Structure formats: C-alpha cells, structure tokens
Amino acid sequence: MVDEAFSREDAQDAQDRLWVRQVQLHDDRAAFACLLRRHQGMVRALLRRLTRGDAARADELAQEAFLQAYRALPGFRGEARFRSWLYRIACNCFLQQQRLGASELAQHSESLAEDDGAWEGETAVGAQAELPHQVALRLDLGRALARLSAPEQEAIVHCYLADLSHSEAAALLGWPLGTLKTHLLRGKIKLKEFLQAWAPHATEEVLP
C-alpha cells in the first residue's frame, strides 16, 4: 500500500515536470491550467488554515500565489517538487500580507497619536475597543515572523499556522525531518521572545 502511494506520487511529479517544461518552452497556458487544477485545492486549503478559515482572504491569496508562480515558472529548475515550490510561494504571499498589515497598523497608530486633538476621549477609547484582540495579535505576529530567517518562517508557518505534522511539513519543504525540527525550535524560541509582551496569550494562542 505504501509502495503504491509512492508510485502514484512519483507519477504525479513526473507529469508535473512535463507540464512545467511545456510552460517553460512554449508558454503553454493549457499546461499551466493543468498544474493549477491538480494543486489549487491543496493550496486553497493551506491558505484557509493560515487565515483561520477566512475563505475570501484565502482565495485572494491563492490568486496572487498562482500569478506569482506563473511569472516565476521560467526560473523553476526542479530542485524541489513543483507542489512544494508552489506551497512556498503561497506561504510567502501570506507572510507578505501579514507584514503589510502590520506596517499599515503601525502607520495608522502613529497618525492617531499625532492627531490627539481630533478625537474626544470617549471616541478614542471606542476606536481602540474596535480592534479585536485576535487582530492585534495577528499583526504583531506578522512583525515577529518578519524578523525570523526564511527557513524559520517556513517551519513556523507550516507546522503551527497551517497545522501540518512535522513529517508533512518536512516532505512539503523537501527537508530532512531533523532540519525541520531544528528550524522550528529556533523560530519558536525567537517568537516567544519577540511576543513576550503578549505572554502568556501569544504562546497559548499561536504556538501551542
């Protein structure tokens, strides 16, 4: 049964390589459409886990990931499986959006602090109350993730935010299991340090 599963994966990888070659050599849109049909369900499922079930946001990120993948495909050399390569692009799209959201929130907060005469005290309190605890934590997490190395980011995103097992994440990233665990441990230690102002909530809600 295990051998059959590996044979099926090998056959799928071989077909992926053929479609990738068609896109690279002939800009074959039909071949790229075949790649998307095979992998879009798993990419969207991954992004929905990352966005905590926000289907609209996940679909938006998936579209951006597919667009980036199409543009980057001429440079794909096959060092990793196409599926793993595409998943990395999707995770990077998520991380980029997290960082952008954190940056926008910081700018907005600074402008509110500078314009202290424009708000009545009661209104300012109400505005702060409208920012949910979960949103604030997510944005701070985006800032913290941006401070990790790329391998640490990928390990954290796959194992904690996407809720994949260590073996699943290692397989998707094309890493030995020990390498995945090393980056995961280092990233977790750093995140606990960066998010210590949230303690114990950050470690309980984000990094079980």
Side-chain angles (χ1 to χ4, degrees):
M1 200 72 173
V2 174
D3 290 340
E4 289 181 8
F6 276 116
S7 297
R8 186 164 56 251
E9 284 193 5
D10 288 342
Q12 290 178 347
D13 289 341
Q15 181 61 68
D16 283 350
R17 288 193 293 272
L18 289 175
W19 283 329
V20 166
R21 196 66 177 154
Q22 285 295 106
V23 177
Q24 291 175 328
L25 292 177
H26 308 295
D27 192 23
D28 190 333
R29 305 293 179 89
F32 187 70
C34 290
L35 288 167
L36 289 192
R37 279 196 295 271
R38 171 170 288 176
H39 299 288
Q40 67 178 345
M42 290 182 289
V43 168
R44 291 179 192 278
L46 172 70
L47 288 168
R48 286 181 185 180
R49 289 197 294 272
L50 291 175
T51 58
R52 294 295 189 265
D54 187 338
R57 184 179 170 215
D59 288 346
E60 176 187 339
L61 287 169
Q63 291 299 321
E64 178 61 25
F66 299 148
L67 179 60
Q68 288 189 20
Y70 181 74
R71 290 172 175 168
L73 206 54
F76 178 65
R77 295 292 175 261
E79 292 89 351
R81 290 178 172 180
F82 174 79
R83 179 180 66 173
S84 300
W85 180 77
L86 182 59
Y87 273 32
R88 287 192 181 194
I89 291 177
C91 286
N92 284 335
C93 286
F94 168 77
L95 287 169
Q96 288 166 6
Q97 191 182 78
Q98 290 284 98
R99 295 170 196 146
L100 179 61
S103 175
E104 289 178 345
L105 179 64
Q107 293 174 7
H108 182 64
S109 298
E110 289 171 4
S111 67
L112 286 180
E114 292 171 359
D115 192 21
D116 56 1
W119 295 87
E120 297 291 338
E122 184 177 343
T123 305
V125 171
Q128 290 179 351
E130 289 174 0
L131 183 64
H133 166 84
Q134 294 84 356
V135 173
L137 175 56
R138 177 173 61 83
L139 293 172
D140 278 353
L141 176 61
R143 293 191 190 97
L145 282 168
R147 298 172 65 182
L148 302 181
S149 69
E152 290 164 354
Q153 287 181 8
E154 291 176 337
I156 291 291
V157 165
H158 282 75
C159 291
Y160 287 116
L161 302 184
D163 199 26
L164 299 177
S165 69
H166 290 180
S167 58
E168 288 172 333
L172 280 176
L173 291 167
W175 296 346
L177 184 58
T179 300
L180 181 280
K181 289 182 177 180
T182 296
H183 289 310
L184 190 62
L185 178 60
R186 290 174 179 170
K188 185 173 180 178
I189 290 172
K190 290 180 182 179
L191 282 183
K192 284 186 175 181
E193 177 185 349
F194 299 154
L195 296 171
Q196 60 184 341
W198 282 95
H201 303 294
T203 54
E204 291 175 353
E205 295 183 23
V206 180
L207 303 177

